[in-house]
């Protein structure tokens, strides 16, 4: 690190995150950031980062940021040799499905997801047997093996459009029970659900939202549709992380609370200094496994490479491609 400046040699990068990263923390980040920027050049790599990544990753080393849908869309067009996923395992698998000739790296293979862990391919085959002829829509927060058993994938950003595109009265929508219930409420389509939940969003309660409103008069409540329906019912808006980000960018609210993972508010606070963020939040332990040292190590050692068995990849890709075509 540059000893002449307490901010190290990257003052312009620090300027971006100054509002949410104290100088003492930056002093610990700067060396890894410099190393990662150099490694990206030598490895011809890009970093894709989900909206739940911490600000020093999201704003300082990432090339492409967004919600699950945006990361999937952008992964298709990456021309660099290497994609490093600053996100969780299913996101890396989706990137590999959509751009199979690239080396896709996961900095920590244990960065999973409670939704992806809730269901197996065998479970999907049993559901099909029990509800013959009903289409299966699978949230992208699943393994490639589960996607391979599905008709079509969806994300929280396009779930309504995906289920409506099928033109059926009933849909098997798995594994997020709350997302399925929230989409059923919006569309009137009968959902056959699975009891999977996001361990971050299932913890919010309607009482918490009411208390936040009482304590923060005028606050606009934005909730993720992985929250229970009774929480979504208390919100002013429900949408994917990109939907929440767009809502804040629209300038419709000067005081907001994001009912989602903690880092979302930090990342948006960097971009919208005039918006006040009330911050109750829940941490995703999987997303938080991705750190600057983990990203640096991943690029130094080219680990851990994500691969998908070819017989699964073709079928899983079909379900993701059908979603992207909507
Ligand atoms: P989106 O970014 O697609 O809204 O997904 C939220 C999430 O929990 C991803 O793990
Ligand atoms: Fe999975 Fe929830 Fe974490 Fe997203 S926030 S990775 S859905 S556990």
């Amino acid at each position: 690190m540059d000893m002449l400046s307490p901010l190290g040699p990257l003052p312009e990068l620090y300027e971006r995150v100054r509002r949410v990263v104290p100088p003492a923390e930056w002093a610990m980040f700067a060396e890894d950031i410099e190393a990662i920027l150099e490694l990206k050049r030598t490895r011809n790599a890009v970093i894709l980062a989900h909206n739940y990544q911490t600000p020093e990753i999201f704003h300082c080393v990432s090339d492409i940021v967004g919600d699950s849908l945006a990361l999937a869309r952008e992964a298709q067009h990456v021309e660099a040799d290497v994609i490093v996923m600053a996100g969780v395992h299913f996101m890396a698998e989706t990137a590999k499905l959509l751009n199979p000739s690239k080396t896709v790296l996961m900095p920590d293979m244990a960065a999973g997801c409670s939704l992806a862990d809730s269901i197996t391919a065998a479970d999907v085959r049993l559901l099909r047997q029990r509800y013959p002829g009903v289409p299966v829509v699978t949230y992208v927060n699943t393994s490639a093996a589960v996607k391979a058993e599905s008709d079509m994938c969806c994300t929280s950003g396009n779930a309504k459009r995906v289920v409506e595109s099928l033109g059926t009265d009933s849909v098997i929508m798995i594994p997020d029970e709350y997302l399925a219930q929230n989409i059923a409420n919006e569309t009137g389509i009968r959902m056959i659900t699975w009891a999977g939940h996001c361990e971050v969003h299932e913890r919010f309660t309607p009482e918490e939202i009411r208390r936040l409103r009482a304590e923060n008069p005028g606050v606009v409540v934005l909730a993720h549709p992985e929250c229970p329906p009774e929480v979504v019912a208390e919100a002013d808006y429900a949408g994917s992380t990109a939907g929440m980000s767009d809502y804040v960018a629209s300038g419709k609210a000067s005081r907001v609370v994001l009912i989602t993972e903690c880092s979302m508010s930090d990342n948006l606070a960097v971009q919208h200094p005039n918006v006040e963020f009330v911050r109750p939040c829940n941490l995703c332990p999987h997303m938080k496994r991705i750190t600057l040292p983990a990203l640096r190590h991943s690029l130094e050692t080219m680990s851990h490479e994500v691969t998908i068995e070819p017989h699964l990849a073709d079928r899983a890709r079909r379900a993701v491609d059908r979603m992207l075509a909507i």
Side-chain angles (χ1 to χ4, degrees):
M1 201 169 118
D2 182 352
M3 299 315 287
L4 298 175
S5 161
L7 299 179
L10 305 165
E12 72 291 350
L13 272 185
Y14 183 61
E15 200 46 38
R16 288 190 199 166
V17 291
R18 188 175 50 81
R19 301 185 66 251
V20 292
V21 177
E25 267 183 39
W26 183 257
M28 294 188 295
F29 295 153
E31 192 192 324
D32 284 329
I33 290 176
E34 268 197 299
I36 290 167
L37 296 178
E38 178 57 23
L39 281 160
K40 282 201 302 178
R41 279 189 286 273
T42 53
R43 298 290 196 197
N44 190 20
V46 291
I47 296 180
L48 271 57
H50 185 262
N51 290 328
Y52 293 161
Q53 291 297 298
T54 47
E56 70 283 2
I57 292 175
F58 189 88
H59 289 289
C60 299
V61 297
S62 301
D63 301 280
I64 295 168
V65 296
D67 68 351
S68 312
L69 182 58
L71 295 182
R73 281 197 192 289
E74 294 297 327
Q76 297 176 102
H77 308 300
V78 167
E79 287 180 359
D81 297 327
V82 180
I83 296 174
V84 186
M85 183 53 70
V88 292
H89 188 262
F90 75 80
M91 296 176 177
E93 269 194 345
T94 306
K96 183 69 184 175
L97 283 176
L98 293 170
N99 207 336
S101 67
K102 305 300 174 187
T103 300
V104 176
L105 301 179
M106 236 351 252
D108 187 331
M109 283 296 204
C113 171
S114 62
L115 283 166
D117 289 345
S118 74
I119 193 160
T120 64
D123 294 327
V124 187
R125 288 193 289 270
L126 280 174
L127 280 167
R128 276 202 192 276
Q129 273 173 24
R130 193 176 306 166
Y131 302 99
V134 181
V136 176
V137 171
T138 297
Y139 201 29
V140 282
N141 300 39
T142 44
S143 64
V146 165
K147 288 183 176 76
E149 299 292 335
S150 316
D151 294 303
M152 204 173 195
C153 287
C154 75
T155 73
S156 53
N158 62 14
K160 181 169 181 279
R161 269 178 293 144
V162 165
V163 297
E164 285 179 340
S165 76
L166 296 166
T168 53
D169 300 337
S170 304
V171 171
I172 299 171
M173 190 169 183
I174 49 176
D176 189 338
E177 182 176 27
Y178 296 146
L179 178 71
Q181 289 169 347
N182 286 321
I183 298 298
N185 290 342
E186 273 189 64
T187 59
I189 295 171
R190 185 173 82 99
M191 296 295 174
I192 293 150
T193 61
W194 186 256
H197 301 136
C198 162
E199 67 188 90
V200 175
H201 293 96
E202 71 175 348
R203 298 209 299 269
F204 292 105
T205 63
E207 296 72 34
E208 191 177 357
I209 312 292
R210 289 195 284 271
R211 182 180 51 75
L212 283 164
R213 284 198 195 276
E215 289 172 0
N216 302 280
V219 73
V220 175
V221 179
L222 313 181
H224 196 279
E226 290 171 7
C227 293
E230 54 279 18
V231 170
V232 167
E234 294 285 338
D236 297 298
Y237 168 86
S240 75
T241 56
M244 290 190 222
S245 180
D246 290 347
Y247 191 104
V248 173
S250 75
K252 284 190 274 197
S254 55
R255 195 179 206 197
V256 297
V257 56
L258 306 183
I259 304 302
T260 193
E261 212 272 347
C262 300
S263 294
M264 240 338 255
S265 296
D266 287 337
N267 290 331
L268 288 181
V270 166
Q271 289 157 332
H272 305 287
N274 299 326
V275 177
E276 183 197 341
F277 291 86
V278 176
R279 302 192 191 206
C281 63
N282 293 327
L283 271 177
C284 174
H286 310 288
M287 290 280 178
K288 266 46 210 181
R289 282 183 172 274
I290 310 303
T291 59
L292 290 173
L295 283 165
R296 180 177 177 172
H297 186 256
S298 179
L299 279 160
E300 278 169 351
T301 58
M302 294 296 282
S303 60
H304 306 271
E305 189 171 350
V306 173
T307 54
I308 304 169
E309 287 179 43
H311 75 281
L312 285 181
D314 290 342
R315 290 161 57 219
R317 188 179 305 111
R318 205 170 46 224
V320 179
D321 280 344
R322 283 189 72 192
M323 166 185 90
L324 293 175
I326 295 274

